[in-house]
Amino acid sequence: MKTGDVLPPLEIPITRTLIVAGAIASRDYQDVHHDPELARQKGSPDIFMNILTTNGLVGRYITDHFGPRTVLTKVAIRLGAPNYPGDTMVLTGTVEALEGATATVRIVGTNRIGHHVTGTVTFSLKDAEGTPNEHTRA
């Protein structure tokens, strides 16, 4: 891995079930994440994904790519365009910094409206004994 490396994109279909299940799993019971009629009454065309679900999907993107010994140390994201049912979010990443066994990847997640999520994920790569390993390759 080196600075500037581009991770392969990950396409995530945004289903009604994913949105509701993510809200329930993160104990976010706001009606805009599970009740289409109440979401419309509040000005949204439909229910939309919460930030905690997005945060989990961003973490999954990194750990799926770099493997099970990846330890996330900082996830700093900002939401933009909502993820609605029927969207597909495409996550992309670029290695922004490397220092020993620690790396930072810039993340962008887009949907049909625009950028849903932007930010960075900092993580370390550990060897089988749990020791930081700057030679671990993705």
Side-chain angles (χ1 to χ4, degrees):
M1 170 177 35
K2 63 185 182 308
T3 302
D5 281 356
V6 176
L7 281 59
L10 174 64
E11 292 187 10
I12 301 171
I14 307 301
T15 64
R16 197 166 293 281
T17 301
L18 175 62
I19 293 169
V20 174
I24 290 169
S26 60
R27 297 182 180 190
D28 183 348
Y29 303 116
Q30 290 187 41
D31 51 24
V32 295
H33 303 308
H34 65 85
D35 188 320
E37 185 55 39
L38 289 176
R40 281 190 281 280
Q41 287 177 16
K42 292 183 177 180
S44 178
D46 205 338
I47 64 171
F48 55 91
M49 183 176 284
N50 71 357
I51 192 169
L52 297 169
T53 304
T54 300
N55 193 66
L57 293 170
V58 166
R60 169 194 160 196
Y61 177 56
I62 295 298
T63 59
D64 280 1
H65 180 76
F66 290 100
R69 294 193 177 109
T70 304
V71 178
L72 305 181
T73 56
K74 182 178 179 184
V75 178
I77 60 172
R78 178 181 211 110
L79 292 185
N83 268 340
Y84 294 115
D87 282 341
T88 297
M89 179 172 63
V90 180
L91 289 169
T92 58
T94 304
V95 177
E96 192 172 74
L98 291 170
E99 187 173 323
T102 301
T104 299
V105 172
R106 170 134 320 266
I107 300 290
V108 176
T110 59
N111 61 33
R112 63 185 161 84
I113 302 170
H115 287 137
H116 169 68
V117 62
T118 55
T120 57
V121 178
T122 303
F123 58 94
S124 60
L125 299 173
K126 308 284 184 173
D127 63 19
E129 289 77 38
T131 305
N133 182 351
E134 62 189 274
H135 303 292
T136 302
R137 299 279 181 219

